[in-house]
Amino acid sequence: MKALEGLMRDEWGRLLALLVARYRRLDLAEDGLADAFEAAARRWPRDGVPANGPAWLLTAARRRVLDRLRSEQVLARSMPLLVVEADLAERAQRVMADAGEPLTDERLRLVLLCAHPRLSREAAAALSLRLVLGIPTADVARLFLQQTPTMAARLTRARKKLAGETFALPRGEELAARVAVVADVSYLAFTAGYAPSSGDHAVRATLAGEAIRLVRVLRDVIPVSVDRADLDALLALELLQHSRRDARVRDGALVLLPDQDRSLWHRDEIGEALDLLTPLAHAPATPYLLQALVAAEHAVAPTAADTAWGRILARYDELLALTDTPVVRLNRAVAVAEVHGPAAGLAALDQVALPGHRLPAVRAELLVRAGDDARAADAYDAAIALCDNGAEREHLRRRRARLAPGRHPGPRG
């Protein structure tokens, strides 16, 4: 039912944070809340949606946690762990009275717990989607192209690594470091959705959307003392990229940026992103900000021909000075080709060492523009052989077939 789906989306992280803060057991809190939602799915269609749905769910989850503690015969030994600060208890009671009460500290604790340095970025991303956003394990598995049992085991290992960790809010530099990890986790998840390296889809919009939601949650709950400029830049970057999702695929086929129907871009998301970037015009350059400014140049161009490639190249030069990575060099080479011609772009590609199919794919495109069809065919074949994403592989085959229909387009496996 829609009411329960909305609560799962909007309240899961907040209610779970309250339960973890009170009972200090992540496993019990998560199981109890899942049981509460399952009970609601059975009872609410019959009895009607309660006036205060979050309060109903929190009460049901508490009962299930206590039942579990009794069944484990550890309730007596666990009582010291069940004592919480008076202010936390008062805020929990306010949830019972008013489901709209913002419980910033508790939810922030949960977000930052998932960003613990004991976890890899990939594990933190999966755990954040499961615990903070309430995405079911099976859906998390699909988002990361894994089998459900594999993801369940991975999440279990992540939880075990956090066993015994306090639910305390980090302070000072540690807090800033954890916030940066959450931002990186969101970007990692977003990249997995926007440019999946494997699978059959050109874009997994659901994963990209959930990554955006994680940034929104973090921006909502971090203390005012924490600088959020980089989070604003990250949100703007993700919104600008995500705004093009409906134009990236046509009839199941990948559509590159120059060929996209810009009327399909989500202008409300572009507008929100530009509003976020405007106050950052004179902010110190960061990787997220520079990437967002590049994406903004594409967003404001009426047509592909109107793109301000000179400004984009300047941004990539700044980005290269901050973070010299193969991906940055690859993207800069594309901008170099747009500004100075394909020969210059190919020369810039000679400075790139990047595994996978993207480097030979870009080289093939630039060789076509340079008129070197023979070498372009070889580059396409190399890219096709290395590409694990079905949609991108088919795109490369089509480009290769247009170039030289008489030559075999490489293995189809």
Side-chain angles (χ1 to χ4, degrees):
M1 57 189 307
K2 290 185 178 180
L4 192 59
E5 290 175 1
L7 288 174
M8 170 72 82
R9 177 181 177 87
D10 298 332
E11 299 291 343
W12 174 278
R14 186 169 65 141
L15 296 177
L16 182 63
L18 279 171
L19 292 167
V20 175
R22 181 164 188 176
Y23 297 107
R24 307 300 193 195
R25 287 276 301 275
L26 182 57
D27 58 337
L28 291 183
E30 187 180 3
D31 290 346
L33 188 56
D35 287 347
F37 271 93
E38 183 179 347
R42 293 194 308 268
R43 295 180 55 179
W44 289 9
R46 181 191 66 206
D47 302 338
V49 178
N52 192 331
W56 191 100
L57 291 164
L58 186 60
T59 300
R62 283 173 174 167
R63 289 171 179 164
R64 282 156 177 76
V65 170
L66 291 175
D67 287 344
R68 171 82 175 273
L69 286 169
R70 293 189 186 100
S71 68
E72 292 178 353
Q73 297 182 343
V74 297
L75 181 58
R77 295 195 303 274
S78 299
M79 285 305 295
L81 299 178
L82 306 185
V83 178
V84 295
E85 303 87 351
D87 64 327
L88 178 60
E90 291 173 3
R91 278 179 278 183
Q93 291 301 317
R94 287 201 295 271
V95 170
M96 299 295 293
D98 178 9
E101 178 74 14
L103 296 170
T104 300
D105 287 351
E106 289 70 34
R107 191 165 52 161
L108 179 60
R109 286 187 179 103
L110 183 61
V111 172
L112 298 180
L113 180 66
C114 293
H116 196 279
R118 284 189 179 182
L119 301 181
S120 68
R121 296 296 169 93
E122 293 82 0
L127 196 63
S128 297
L129 295 176
R130 175 69 192 100
L131 299 185
V132 179
L133 302 182
I135 301 175
T137 299
D139 292 341
V140 175
R142 282 192 290 271
L143 293 173
F144 283 92
L145 301 178
Q146 294 184 358
Q147 297 295 319
T148 298
T150 302
M151 178 54 70
R154 187 174 191 179
L155 291 171
T156 297
R157 289 194 297 271
R159 293 183 186 94
K160 287 181 178 179
K161 287 184 178 181
L162 297 180
E165 289 298 325
T166 66
F167 201 54
L169 191 66
R171 304 291 180 185
E173 292 183 1
E174 184 182 358
L175 174 58
R178 292 278 189 98
V179 168
V181 170
V182 179
D184 289 347
V185 161
S186 169
Y187 189 58
L188 175 68
F190 182 84
T191 301
Y194 181 73
S197 59
S198 58
D200 295 325
H201 301 290
V203 60
R204 285 181 276 150
T206 301
L207 177 54
E210 295 298 356
I212 291 173
R213 188 155 67 98
L214 181 59
V215 177
R216 292 193 188 279
V217 169
L218 183 60
R219 290 175 71 252
D220 286 344
V221 300
I222 59 172
V224 295
S225 59
V226 177
D227 184 4
R228 65 181 61 207
D230 216 29
L231 287 178
D232 288 349
L234 173 59
L235 180 57
L237 170 61
E238 293 181 352
L239 285 170
L240 289 166
Q241 301 279 32
H242 197 52
S243 69
R244 303 198 293 263
R245 59 191 177 276
D246 292 339
R248 292 197 76 225
V249 179
R250 184 185 305 130
D251 298 326
L254 178 66
V255 181
L256 297 185
L257 179 60
D259 303 318
Q260 289 177 11
D261 180 355
R262 299 188 177 214
S263 68
L264 298 177
W265 291 2
H266 292 252
R267 292 294 166 182
D268 56 335
E269 295 172 3
I270 292 174
E272 180 183 355
L274 296 178
D275 288 343
L276 287 166
L277 289 176
T278 299
L280 303 179
H282 302 292
T286 67
Y288 288 144
L289 178 56
L290 291 171
Q291 291 177 78
L293 292 173
V294 168
E297 293 290 352
H298 291 295
V300 300
T303 68
D306 295 317
T307 305
W309 282 104
R311 289 201 294 267
I312 290 175
L313 178 56
R315 296 301 185 190
Y316 275 123
D317 286 340
E318 293 181 74
L319 188 56
L320 190 63
L322 285 179
T323 173
D324 188 348
T325 69
V327 173
V328 172
R329 285 184 173 270
L330 179 68
N331 292 331
R332 180 183 176 276
V334 173
V336 168
E338 294 291 343
V339 176
H340 300 297
L346 288 166
L349 279 184
D350 290 340
Q351 307 301 316
V352 180
L354 182 67
H357 71 283
R358 301 195 188 281
L359 176 57
V362 172
R363 178 173 285 114
E365 293 291 327
L366 295 186
L367 285 167
V368 170
R369 291 173 54 183
D372 193 340
D373 287 0
R375 291 176 62 202
D378 291 339
Y380 274 127
D381 288 342
I384 291 167
L386 292 169
C387 185
D388 292 326
N389 180 275
E392 288 195 57
R393 190 165 56 246
E394 287 304 315
H395 169 80
L396 290 169
R397 285 184 179 134
R398 287 192 299 271
R399 304 288 284 188
R400 170 67 172 80
R402 291 179 187 176
L403 175 66
R407 292 188 58 175
H408 193 278
R412 297 190 63 83

